[in-house]
PDB file of all heavy atoms in Angstrom:
ATOM      1  N   ALA A 284      93.798 123.900  97.256  1.00  0.00           N
ATOM      2  CA  ALA A 284      94.983 123.705  98.005  1.00  0.00           C
ATOM      3  C   ALA A 284      94.866 122.564  98.888  1.00  0.00           C
ATOM      4  O   ALA A 284      95.866 121.802  99.090  1.00  0.00           O
ATOM      5  CB  ALA A 284      95.353 125.055  98.702  1.00  0.00           C
ATOM      6  N   ARG A 285      93.671 122.451  99.577  1.00  0.00           N
ATOM      7  CA  ARG A 285      93.561 121.307 100.529  1.00  0.00           C
ATOM      8  C   ARG A 285      93.605 119.896  99.739  1.00  0.00           C
ATOM      9  O   ARG A 285      94.235 118.957 100.232  1.00  0.00           O
ATOM     10  CB  ARG A 285      92.144 121.505 101.275  1.00  0.00           C
ATOM     11  CG  ARG A 285      92.136 122.621 102.289  1.00  0.00           C
ATOM     12  CD  ARG A 285      90.937 122.510 103.087  1.00  0.00           C
ATOM     13  NE  ARG A 285      90.902 123.604 104.146  1.00  0.00           N
ATOM     14  CZ  ARG A 285      90.178 124.748 104.045  1.00  0.00           C
ATOM     15  NH1 ARG A 285      89.632 124.943 102.927  1.00  0.00           N
ATOM     16  NH2 ARG A 285      90.307 125.569 104.914  1.00  0.00           N
ATOM     17  N   LEU A 286      92.901 119.928  98.593  1.00  0.00           N
ATOM     18  CA  LEU A 286      92.904 118.636  97.818  1.00  0.00           C
ATOM     19  C   LEU A 286      94.358 118.357  97.425  1.00  0.00           C
ATOM     20  O   LEU A 286      94.815 117.168  97.420  1.00  0.00           O
ATOM     21  CB  LEU A 286      92.030 118.908  96.646  1.00  0.00           C
ATOM     22  CG  LEU A 286      90.457 119.008  96.924  1.00  0.00           C
ATOM     23  CD1 LEU A 286      89.697 119.177  95.590  1.00  0.00           C
ATOM     24  CD2 LEU A 286      90.026 117.628  97.619  1.00  0.00           C
ATOM     25  N   ALA A 287      95.147 119.334  96.995  1.00  0.00           N
ATOM     26  CA  ALA A 287      96.471 119.129  96.567  1.00  0.00           C
ATOM     27  C   ALA A 287      97.300 118.681  97.753  1.00  0.00           C
ATOM     28  O   ALA A 287      98.137 117.763  97.587  1.00  0.00           O
ATOM     29  CB  ALA A 287      97.085 120.445  96.055  1.00  0.00           C
ATOM     30  N   LEU A 288      97.102 119.150  98.960  1.00  0.00           N
ATOM     31  CA  LEU A 288      97.841 118.749 100.138  1.00  0.00           C
ATOM     32  C   LEU A 288      97.545 117.270 100.348  1.00  0.00           C
ATOM     33  O   LEU A 288      98.472 116.525 100.754  1.00  0.00           O
ATOM     34  CB  LEU A 288      97.485 119.594 101.397  1.00  0.00           C
ATOM     35  CG  LEU A 288      98.112 121.017 101.450  1.00  0.00           C
ATOM     36  CD1 LEU A 288      97.503 121.692 102.632  1.00  0.00           C
ATOM     37  CD2 LEU A 288      99.608 120.929 101.650  1.00  0.00           C
ATOM     38  N   VAL A 289      96.317 116.878 100.370  1.00  0.00           N
ATOM     39  CA  VAL A 289      95.896 115.486 100.636  1.00  0.00           C
ATOM     40  C   VAL A 289      96.587 114.590  99.581  1.00  0.00           C
ATOM     41  O   VAL A 289      97.126 113.567 100.023  1.00  0.00           O
ATOM     42  CB  VAL A 289      94.449 115.356 100.673  1.00  0.00           C
ATOM     43  CG1 VAL A 289      93.968 113.889 100.766  1.00  0.00           C
ATOM     44  CG2 VAL A 289      93.778 116.095 101.764  1.00  0.00           C
ATOM     45  N   LEU A 290      96.505 114.989  98.348  1.00  0.00           N
ATOM     46  CA  LEU A 290      97.062 114.162  97.369  1.00  0.00           C
ATOM     47  C   LEU A 290      98.559 113.944  97.392  1.00  0.00           C
ATOM     48  O   LEU A 290      99.073 112.891  97.345  1.00  0.00           O
ATOM     49  CB  LEU A 290      96.670 114.760  95.849  1.00  0.00           C
ATOM     50  CG  LEU A 290      97.062 113.926  94.634  1.00  0.00           C
ATOM     51  CD1 LEU A 290      96.519 112.603  94.691  1.00  0.00           C
ATOM     52  CD2 LEU A 290      96.743 114.709  93.405  1.00  0.00           C
ATOM     53  N   VAL A 291      99.241 115.014  97.712  1.00  0.00           N
ATOM     54  CA  VAL A 291     100.673 114.983  97.844  1.00  0.00           C
ATOM     55  C   VAL A 291     101.134 114.238  98.988  1.00  0.00           C
ATOM     56  O   VAL A 291     102.011 113.411  98.921  1.00  0.00           O
ATOM     57  CB  VAL A 291     101.308 116.410  97.841  1.00  0.00           C
ATOM     58  CG1 VAL A 291     102.756 116.398  98.271  1.00  0.00           C
ATOM     59  CG2 VAL A 291     101.076 117.229  96.512  1.00  0.00           C
ATOM     60  N   ALA A 292     100.395 114.365 100.144  1.00  0.00           N
ATOM     61  CA  ALA A 292     100.717 113.637 101.332  1.00  0.00           C
ATOM     62  C   ALA A 292     100.604 112.201 101.218  1.00  0.00           C
ATOM     63  O   ALA A 292     101.385 111.426 101.579  1.00  0.00           O
ATOM     64  CB  ALA A 292      99.873 114.128 102.465  1.00  0.00           C
ATOM     65  N   VAL A 293      99.400 111.834 100.503  1.00  0.00           N
ATOM     66  CA  VAL A 293      99.238 110.366 100.299  1.00  0.00           C
ATOM     67  C   VAL A 293     100.227 109.759  99.379  1.00  0.00           C
ATOM     68  O   VAL A 293     100.757 108.635  99.643  1.00  0.00           O
ATOM     69  CB  VAL A 293      97.759 110.179  99.697  1.00  0.00           C
ATOM     70  CG1 VAL A 293      97.608 108.694  99.154  1.00  0.00           C
ATOM     71  CG2 VAL A 293      96.764 110.499 100.660  1.00  0.00           C
ATOM     72  N   ILE A 294     100.613 110.425  98.324  1.00  0.00           N
ATOM     73  CA  ILE A 294     101.654 109.978  97.344  1.00  0.00           C
ATOM     74  C   ILE A 294     102.936 109.823  98.030  1.00  0.00           C
ATOM     75  O   ILE A 294     103.623 108.819  97.879  1.00  0.00           O
ATOM     76  CB  ILE A 294     101.725 110.912  96.165  1.00  0.00           C
ATOM     77  CG1 ILE A 294     100.442 110.803  95.321  1.00  0.00           C
ATOM     78  CG2 ILE A 294     103.024 110.530  95.320  1.00  0.00           C
ATOM     79  CD1 ILE A 294     100.446 111.753  94.120  1.00  0.00           C
ATOM     80  N   LEU A 295     103.335 110.804  98.885  1.00  0.00           N
ATOM     81  CA  LEU A 295     104.676 110.742  99.585  1.00  0.00           C
ATOM     82  C   LEU A 295     104.630 109.574 100.518  1.00  0.00           C
ATOM     83  O   LEU A 295     105.688 108.886 100.678  1.00  0.00           O
ATOM     84  CB  LEU A 295     104.963 112.052 100.279  1.00  0.00           C
ATOM     85  CG  LEU A 295     105.271 113.253  99.315  1.00  0.00           C
ATOM     86  CD1 LEU A 295     105.454 114.539 100.172  1.00  0.00           C
ATOM     87  CD2 LEU A 295     106.534 112.910  98.487  1.00  0.00           C
ATOM     88  N   VAL A 296     103.612 109.382 101.318  1.00  0.00           N
ATOM     89  CA  VAL A 296     103.545 108.281 102.319  1.00  0.00           C
ATOM     90  C   VAL A 296     103.607 106.949 101.607  1.00  0.00           C
ATOM     91  O   VAL A 296     104.362 106.011 102.027  1.00  0.00           O
ATOM     92  CB  VAL A 296     102.264 108.377 103.159  1.00  0.00           C
ATOM     93  CG1 VAL A 296     102.036 107.127 103.931  1.00  0.00           C
ATOM     94  CG2 VAL A 296     102.261 109.566 104.117  1.00  0.00           C
ATOM     95  N   LEU A 297     102.845 106.775 100.534  1.00  0.00           N
ATOM     96  CA  LEU A 297     102.936 105.508  99.799  1.00  0.00           C
ATOM     97  C   LEU A 297     104.264 105.275  99.202  1.00  0.00           C
ATOM     98  O   LEU A 297     104.735 104.237  99.140  1.00  0.00           O
ATOM     99  CB  LEU A 297     101.897 105.570  98.660  1.00  0.00           C
ATOM    100  CG  LEU A 297     100.399 105.495  99.191  1.00  0.00           C
ATOM    101  CD1 LEU A 297      99.427 105.565  97.964  1.00  0.00           C
ATOM    102  CD2 LEU A 297     100.101 104.221  99.919  1.00  0.00           C
ATOM    103  N   ASP A 298     104.873 106.342  98.768  1.00  0.00           N
ATOM    104  CA  ASP A 298     106.240 106.188  98.116  1.00  0.00           C
ATOM    105  C   ASP A 298     107.326 105.740  99.076  1.00  0.00           C
ATOM    106  O   ASP A 298     108.242 105.143  98.703  1.00  0.00           O
ATOM    107  CB  ASP A 298     106.619 107.562  97.427  1.00  0.00           C
ATOM    108  CG  ASP A 298     107.897 107.408  96.523  1.00  0.00           C
ATOM    109  OD1 ASP A 298     107.909 106.418  95.814  1.00  0.00           O
ATOM    110  OD2 ASP A 298     108.804 108.289  96.673  1.00  0.00           O
ATOM    111  N   ASN A 299     107.072 106.085 100.427  1.00  0.00           N
ATOM    112  CA  ASN A 299     108.021 105.662 101.385  1.00  0.00           C
ATOM    113  C   ASN A 299     107.812 104.313 101.998  1.00  0.00           C
ATOM    114  O   ASN A 299     108.494 103.814 102.841  1.00  0.00           O
ATOM    115  CB  ASN A 299     108.132 106.751 102.469  1.00  0.00           C
ATOM    116  CG  ASN A 299     108.939 107.942 102.098  1.00  0.00           C
ATOM    117  OD1 ASN A 299     110.188 107.940 102.075  1.00  0.00           O
ATOM    118  ND2 ASN A 299     108.259 108.925 101.600  1.00  0.00           N
ATOM    119  N   LEU A 300     106.726 103.682 101.788  1.00  0.00           N
ATOM    120  CA  LEU A 300     106.381 102.386 102.282  1.00  0.00           C
ATOM    121  C   LEU A 300     107.189 101.328 101.575  1.00  0.00           C
ATOM    122  O   LEU A 300     107.284 101.284 100.361  1.00  0.00           O
ATOM    123  CB  LEU A 300     104.884 102.038 102.129  1.00  0.00           C
ATOM    124  CG  LEU A 300     103.928 102.922 103.050  1.00  0.00           C
ATOM    125  CD1 LEU A 300     102.491 102.485 102.686  1.00  0.00           C
ATOM    126  CD2 LEU A 300     104.218 102.762 104.483  1.00  0.00           C
ATOM    127  N   PRO A 301     107.787 100.384 102.308  1.00  0.00           N
ATOM    128  CA  PRO A 301     108.607  99.299 101.671  1.00  0.00           C
ATOM    129  C   PRO A 301     107.774  98.433 100.716  1.00  0.00           C
ATOM    130  O   PRO A 301     106.618  98.049 101.175  1.00  0.00           O
ATOM    131  CB  PRO A 301     109.153  98.531 102.876  1.00  0.00           C
ATOM    132  CG  PRO A 301     109.048  99.517 104.009  1.00  0.00           C
ATOM    133  CD  PRO A 301     107.863 100.284 103.758  1.00  0.00           C
ATOM    134  N   GLY A 302     108.283  98.175  99.596  1.00  0.00           N
ATOM    135  CA  GLY A 302     107.562  97.322  98.661  1.00  0.00           C
ATOM    136  C   GLY A 302     106.457  97.867  97.876  1.00  0.00           C
ATOM    137  O   GLY A 302     105.774  97.136  97.079  1.00  0.00           O
ATOM    138  N   VAL A 303     106.184  99.120  97.947  1.00  0.00           N
ATOM    139  CA  VAL A 303     105.134  99.866  97.194  1.00  0.00           C
ATOM    140  C   VAL A 303     105.816 100.590  96.016  1.00  0.00           C
ATOM    141  O   VAL A 303     106.558 101.488  96.246  1.00  0.00           O
ATOM    142  CB  VAL A 303     104.315 100.787  98.119  1.00  0.00           C
ATOM    143  CG1 VAL A 303     103.250 101.533  97.292  1.00  0.00           C
ATOM    144  CG2 VAL A 303     103.723 100.019  99.164  1.00  0.00           C
ATOM    145  N   GLU A 304     105.370 100.252  94.857  1.00  0.00           N
ATOM    146  CA  GLU A 304     105.840 100.982  93.593  1.00  0.00           C
ATOM    147  C   GLU A 304     104.719 101.917  93.284  1.00  0.00           C
ATOM    148  O   GLU A 304     103.644 101.681  92.795  1.00  0.00           O
ATOM    149  CB  GLU A 304     106.066  99.946  92.465  1.00  0.00           C
ATOM    150  CG  GLU A 304     107.263  99.050  92.747  1.00  0.00           C
ATOM    151  CD  GLU A 304     108.630  99.742  92.720  1.00  0.00           C
ATOM    152  OE1 GLU A 304     108.660 100.909  92.176  1.00  0.00           O
ATOM    153  OE2 GLU A 304     109.538  99.273  93.384  1.00  0.00           O
ATOM    154  N   ILE A 305     105.144 103.272  93.419  1.00  0.00           N
ATOM    155  CA  ILE A 305     104.117 104.253  93.155  1.00  0.00           C
ATOM    156  C   ILE A 305     103.697 104.362  91.716  1.00  0.00           C
ATOM    157  O   ILE A 305     102.560 104.686  91.473  1.00  0.00           O
ATOM    158  CB  ILE A 305     104.646 105.639  93.789  1.00  0.00           C
ATOM    159  CG1 ILE A 305     103.499 106.720  93.825  1.00  0.00           C
ATOM    160  CG2 ILE A 305     105.838 106.091  92.927  1.00  0.00           C
ATOM    161  CD1 ILE A 305     102.393 106.298  94.802  1.00  0.00           C
ATOM    162  N   THR A 306     104.632 104.106  90.904  1.00  0.00           N
ATOM    163  CA  THR A 306     104.282 104.213  89.431  1.00  0.00           C
ATOM    164  C   THR A 306     103.306 103.230  88.979  1.00  0.00           C
ATOM    165  O   THR A 306     102.399 103.501  88.252  1.00  0.00           O
ATOM    166  CB  THR A 306     105.638 104.050  88.617  1.00  0.00           C
ATOM    167  OG1 THR A 306     106.290 102.865  89.003  1.00  0.00           O
ATOM    168  CG2 THR A 306     106.509 105.219  88.780  1.00  0.00           C
ATOM    169  N   GLU A 307     103.469 101.950  89.486  1.00  0.00           N
ATOM    170  CA  GLU A 307     102.491 100.930  89.333  1.00  0.00           C
ATOM    171  C   GLU A 307     101.220 101.183  89.770  1.00  0.00           C
ATOM    172  O   GLU A 307     100.062 100.981  89.176  1.00  0.00           O
ATOM    173  CB  GLU A 307     103.014  99.537  89.686  1.00  0.00           C
ATOM    174  CG  GLU A 307     104.242  99.015  88.972  1.00  0.00           C
ATOM    175  CD  GLU A 307     104.797  97.712  89.475  1.00  0.00           C
ATOM    176  OE1 GLU A 307     103.968  97.136  90.433  1.00  0.00           O
ATOM    177  OE2 GLU A 307     105.764  97.230  88.974  1.00  0.00           O
TER     178      GLU A 307
END
């Protein structure tokens, strides 16, 4: 659960940064 939390948080933060394409 802790690993999943870290992974989800990092993905969501990166997805909201301008100019960052999470898929690439």
Side-chain angles (χ1 to χ4, degrees):
R285 289 190 178 97
L286 292 176
L288 281 173
V289 172
L290 183 61
V291 170
V293 170
I294 291 176
L295 290 177
V296 169
L297 292 176
D298 190 45
N299 282 279
L300 291 179
V303 177
E304 293 293 336
I305 193 65
T306 54
E307 295 179 1

